Amino acid sequence: MTTVVAPPRAEAKEPPPPPAEPRHLPRWAWALIVIGVWIVVWAFTKGQDTLTLGAREHTQLQNDLTEFRNAVLASRDTNPFIQFTYQLGEWFKEAVEWCQRMISIPDFPRPVPQIGWLGVTAVAVWIGLAVAGWRIALLVAASFVSFGLFGYWSDSMDLLIVTFVSVSVAVLIGMPLAVLLGTTSRLGNSIINTILDIFQTMPTFVYLLPIVLFFGIGASAAVVCTLIYALPPLIRIAGHGIRSVPSTTIEATDSAGQTSWQRLRKVQLPMARKTIVVGLNQTIMAALSMATIAAYVDGPGLGQPVLQSLFKNDVGGAFVPGMLIVVMAVMLDRTTTAASEASEKAARGRINMRQRRIVLAVAAVPVLVALWMSRFYTWAAAFPENNLGPSVADAVNSFTEWFVDAFGGATEWFKNVITEALINPMQSLLAESPWYVTATAIMALALVLGGLRALMPTVICLIGIYIFGLWHDAMITLTMTMVGTVLVMVMALVFGVWMARRKSVDLLLRPLLDAGQTIPPFVYLIPMLALFGPTRFTAIVAGVIYAAPVAIKLVADGVAGVSSSTVEASRSTGATTWQEITKVQLPMSKGSIVLAANQGLLFMLSMAVIGGMVGAGALGYDVVLGFSRSEEWGKGAAAGITIVLIGIMLDRIARAAANQDPITHNPTRRPWWRSSMG
């Protein structure tokens, strides 16, 4: 018997591991390399080809812009477009003046308005009760009484009128555009978003040069500039709400045979109502924030006394009307929010409508009595005079003087440290390098941080900055913006993380941040002037205070949104508090942090012109000069356009950087130059 021996089976071998891709430097390391090379080149070339333009020198393009302005003014009586814009401005002016005669100024020969303060307050309280409930009615009553008690009744009503007219027109224009944004194709969506991006990156002061040219000054210019600034939030937020209606709901309506108009009216708009109210709320807040800037073109309202106090360096005189603007903003914010919640409750049947109608009917009786009294009794028509406002202003001025005397040395030391350690070196690098070196370095940083998506708009914007002839001033403005953004982000990271990790801190700081976002930017300048004098550092600090609230809230919300299970997992591994923050919470909230930096940049840039009024110089001063002297209009317009180009460039770099994958040592990641090219 033979035995057949089977051949030995070959042992199975594991496939060889795939070759590891070479490690690549992270983006921040490439950025440091670019900056290092830039510094070396700057050391050998500083002061050459900086394209410095004298204070009263002009390029040919700037002279051409001035000639354009002169031609527009000369053709006012013959150009149909100019006639249309002036007629439109006249309609706005007539609407504002009619409302003023009704509630804020004497309607001659009547020595008081048609409806006095008591009647106006009663009607406003009744509206608050009708749309939002008795708590809002009490808030409205307290707010309106405070306008009169502090001596600014007429100015407060004027601001309400300009806000009401502007927001009404914004709704008429914005809602159709929001519907278009929410229902149109991707191409149409991209076009609308690009236009909105330009408006939102444009500093508000830049609007004023063309607005004054085409609409004149006064109430018409105030309404138009407020309208332009307040329109984008409504379009964006309402359009997002309409677009966010679930696709399954849309398909269900299509299967039911509804037309597009029926679908919009019966499904999309009702389901997006809450988001639309948020957009309306933000539009109202934006309109109020324009109060002081509108005053610069002789717009009526509380911005007028704030602006006058700025010229006199009167901190107390600006504090009282500035705080009344905040009171008005809080009142309108809470009213619109509560009205939305009340309508939701009513739609769900959680409110007894019969009882509510009875209460409103009974409450209407004293309102009618107050209206009658305000027409026939002087004390009810004109708010009684008192000294509360001047007393508060004097107290604020006394406190400011004491603070400056007590801490003037510390503030001077802080100013010198920041100036010598941060502002001067960065300005020398940006503004004293040859223009082509700076442009190359900025383009390289854009490519490193955001890829080709950031590089292309950066190239276009840099070409525009060069063409408009204010390169050196643009680099100084960019320096102040970048320094301010660094300070904003330091504050945002410190306070944002603190708020996210401590509920009590959030409850304490968030109302202060909300109030800070509603204070007009001019108000920040006055105490900063008292502390630091008219310097570029004053403008930077005022911009930091203006930009910090939104950045802090974004970081706080981002860190607070990190999953609690992730945080608990890090704690179970023995991570310290510092490791938990730096290794878990901050990396996982990177998107919010980048958005905070983006918004900080844009808010800082929006203060460029206002800073030009207090010694910051550069592009802000050029814009202000264009306002004050007709022969400088072209240079001011070029400076305004240059500010817009800087804003678009920084915005596109920040957005592209946020969309790029972080570069790690993970071999599955592609290097930035490959990912940017697809």
Side-chain angles (χ1 to χ4, degrees), residues 178 181 193 196-197 200 231-241 655:
L181 183 65
N193 275 317
L196 295 178
D197 286 343
Q200 289 196 293
L231 193 57
L234 177 64
I235 299 174
R236 277 197 191 280
I237 298 174
H240 171 71
R655 290 193 186 194

Side-chain angles (χ1 to χ4, degrees), residues 485-514:
T485 304
V486 170
L487 298 176
V488 166
M489 289 310 298
V490 170
M491 294 178 62
L493 291 173
V494 171
F495 289 102
V497 172
W498 195 17
M499 289 172 62
R501 294 178 62 87
R502 294 287 185 272
K503 187 68 175 177
S504 58
V505 176
D506 186 273
L507 292 174
L508 177 65
L509 291 184
R510 195 167 289 272
L512 298 178
L513 298 177
D514 291 340

Side-chain angles (χ1 to χ4, degrees), residues 554-607:
L554 285 169
V555 172
D557 292 341
V559 174
V562 175
S563 171
S564 58
S565 59
T566 305
V567 176
E568 289 297 332
S570 70
R571 291 174 182 169
S572 66
T573 62
T576 63
T577 299
W578 177 252
Q579 291 172 329
E580 183 181 312
I581 294 171
T582 57
K583 303 293 185 182
V584 179
Q585 290 179 308
L586 290 181
M588 294 193 69
S589 56
K590 185 197 73 170
S592 296
I593 294 172
V594 173
L595 179 59
N598 174 274
Q599 292 300 297
L601 279 168
L602 296 181
F603 273 64
M604 282 298 306
L605 191 61
S606 72
M607 290 289 286

Side-chain angles (χ1 to χ4, degrees), residues 436-459:
Y436 44 83
V437 172
T438 300
T440 303
I442 293 175
M443 288 186 289
L445 288 172
L447 180 63
V448 164
L449 296 174
L452 292 179
R453 183 176 295 180
L455 178 63
M456 296 307 296
T458 299
V459 171

Side-chain angles (χ1 to χ4, degrees), residues 462-475:
L462 288 173
I463 291 173
I465 293 171
Y466 176 84
I467 289 173
F468 283 100
L470 293 169
W471 181 272
H472 189 261
D473 286 353
M475 293 304 105

Side-chain angles (χ1 to χ4, degrees), residues 34-50:
V34 171
I35 294 173
V37 173
W38 186 5
I39 292 174
V40 172
V41 176
W42 162 82
F44 291 97
T45 61
K46 60 182 176 180
Q48 302 175 19
D49 299 325
T50 58

Side-chain angles (χ1 to χ4, degrees), residues 306-621:
V306 173
L307 191 61
Q308 293 166 8
S309 299
L310 173 66
F311 294 150
K312 297 183 294 184
N313 198 16
D314 181 5
V315 178
F319 174 82
V320 176
M323 289 305 100
L324 290 179
I325 295 174
V326 176
V327 169
M328 187 179 296
V330 171
M331 177 191 70
L332 293 175
D333 174 60
R334 298 295 185 269
T335 301
T336 52
T337 303
S340 173
E341 294 172 354
S343 64
E344 289 283 340
K345 293 178 181 178
R348 296 176 182 179
R350 296 167 57 185
I351 295 178
N352 188 330
M353 297 304 298
R354 182 173 179 275
Q355 182 181 1
R356 182 170 179 168
R357 292 190 188 97
I358 294 173
V359 170
L360 291 176
V362 172
V365 176
V367 172
L368 295 174
V369 173
L371 281 170
W372 178 82
M373 294 176 69
S374 70
R375 288 189 57 82
F376 294 101
Y377 291 90
T378 303
W379 64 268
F383 204 97
E385 295 184 3
N386 61 83
N387 293 321
L388 182 59
S391 299
V392 172
D394 291 341
V396 171
N397 283 330
S398 298
F399 172 80
T400 303
E401 292 175 4
W402 168 82
F403 189 89
V404 171
D405 291 339
F407 300 98
T411 56
E412 184 69 19
W413 172 84
F414 179 69
K415 179 181 75 173
N416 292 337
V417 168
I418 298 297
T419 300
E420 296 299 328
L422 197 57
I423 300 176
N424 287 346
M426 188 177 291
Q427 180 170 315
S428 182
L429 183 63
L430 276 164
E432 298 305 321
S433 296
W435 70 270
Y436 44 83
V437 172
T438 300
T440 303
I442 293 175
M443 288 186 289
L445 288 172
L447 180 63
V448 164
L449 296 174
L452 292 179
R453 183 176 295 180
L455 178 63
M456 296 307 296
T458 299
V459 171
I460 294 171
C461 290
L462 288 173
I463 291 173
I465 293 171
Y466 176 84
I467 289 173
F468 283 100
L470 293 169
W471 181 272
H472 189 261
D473 286 353
M475 293 304 105
I476 296 175
T477 297
L478 181 59
T479 299
M480 293 188 291
T481 302
M482 298 301 295
V483 170
T485 304
V486 170
L487 298 176
V488 166
M489 289 310 298
V490 170
M491 294 178 62
L493 291 173
V494 171
F495 289 102
V497 172
W498 195 17
M499 289 172 62
R501 294 178 62 87
R502 294 287 185 272
K503 187 68 175 177
S504 58
V505 176
D506 186 273
L507 292 174
L508 177 65
L509 291 184
R510 195 167 289 272
L512 298 178
L513 298 177
D514 291 340
Q517 284 188 267
T518 58
I519 297 175
F522 268 100
V523 178
Y524 297 121
L525 283 180
I526 297 172
M528 295 304 104
L529 273 173
L531 287 174
F532 302 108
T535 65
R536 57 184 173 169
F537 183 79
T538 301
I540 291 173
V541 175
V544 168
I545 298 174
Y546 179 58
V550 64
I552 292 172
K553 289 167 69 175
L554 285 169
V555 172
D557 292 341
V559 174
V562 175
S563 171
S564 58
S565 59
T566 305
V567 176
E568 289 297 332
S570 70
R571 291 174 182 169
S572 66
T573 62
T576 63
T577 299
W578 177 252
Q579 291 172 329
E580 183 181 312
I581 294 171
T582 57
K583 303 293 185 182
V584 179
Q585 290 179 308
L586 290 181
M588 294 193 69
S589 56
K590 185 197 73 170
S592 296
I593 294 172
V594 173
L595 179 59
N598 174 274
Q599 292 300 297
L601 279 168
L602 296 181
F603 273 64
M604 282 298 306
L605 191 61
S606 72
M607 290 289 286
V609 181
I610 297 174
M613 299 179 179
V614 292
L619 294 176
Y621 174 79

Side-chain angles (χ1 to χ4, degrees), residues 179-384:
V179 170
L180 188 63
L181 183 65
T183 58
T184 191
S185 64
R186 178 170 296 182
L187 176 61
N189 199 301
S190 177
I191 293 173
I192 296 174
N193 275 317
T194 301
I195 296 172
L196 295 178
D197 286 343
I198 293 173
F199 278 122
Q200 289 196 293
T201 54
M202 186 183 301
T204 50
F205 237 105
V206 177
Y207 297 150
L208 299 187
L209 283 170
I211 285 173
V212 171
L213 179 61
F214 290 105
F215 293 91
I217 63 173
S220 57
V223 170
V224 174
C225 71
T226 303
L227 168 65
I228 292 175
Y229 185 67
L231 193 57
L234 177 64
I235 299 174
R236 277 197 191 280
I237 298 174
H240 171 71
I242 295 170
R243 184 174 288 276
S244 298
V245 174
S247 57
T248 54
T249 306
I250 301 297
E251 292 170 0
T253 61
D254 290 340
S255 64
Q258 285 189 341
T259 64
S260 58
W261 169 248
Q262 290 173 325
R263 181 174 64 240
L264 175 67
R265 185 169 56 88
K266 296 182 178 181
V267 178
Q268 289 174 300
L269 289 179
M271 293 188 70
R273 178 174 55 185
K274 195 169 185 178
T275 307
I276 292 171
V277 171
V278 173
L280 178 63
N281 177 284
Q282 292 301 303
T283 293
I284 293 172
M285 296 299 102
L288 284 174
S289 71
M290 285 293 290
T292 313
I293 295 177
Y296 202 80
V297 290
D298 202 27
L302 285 168
Q304 288 281 359
V306 173
L307 191 61
Q308 293 166 8
S309 299
L310 173 66
F311 294 150
K312 297 183 294 184
N313 198 16
D314 181 5
V315 178
F319 174 82
V320 176
M323 289 305 100
L324 290 179
I325 295 174
V326 176
V327 169
M328 187 179 296
V330 171
M331 177 191 70
L332 293 175
D333 174 60
R334 298 295 185 269
T335 301
T336 52
T337 303
S340 173
E341 294 172 354
S343 64
E344 289 283 340
K345 293 178 181 178
R348 296 176 182 179
R350 296 167 57 185
I351 295 178
N352 188 330
M353 297 304 298
R354 182 173 179 275
Q355 182 181 1
R356 182 170 179 168
R357 292 190 188 97
I358 294 173
V359 170
L360 291 176
V362 172
V365 176
V367 172
L368 295 174
V369 173
L371 281 170
W372 178 82
M373 294 176 69
S374 70
R375 288 189 57 82
F376 294 101
Y377 291 90
T378 303
W379 64 268
F383 204 97

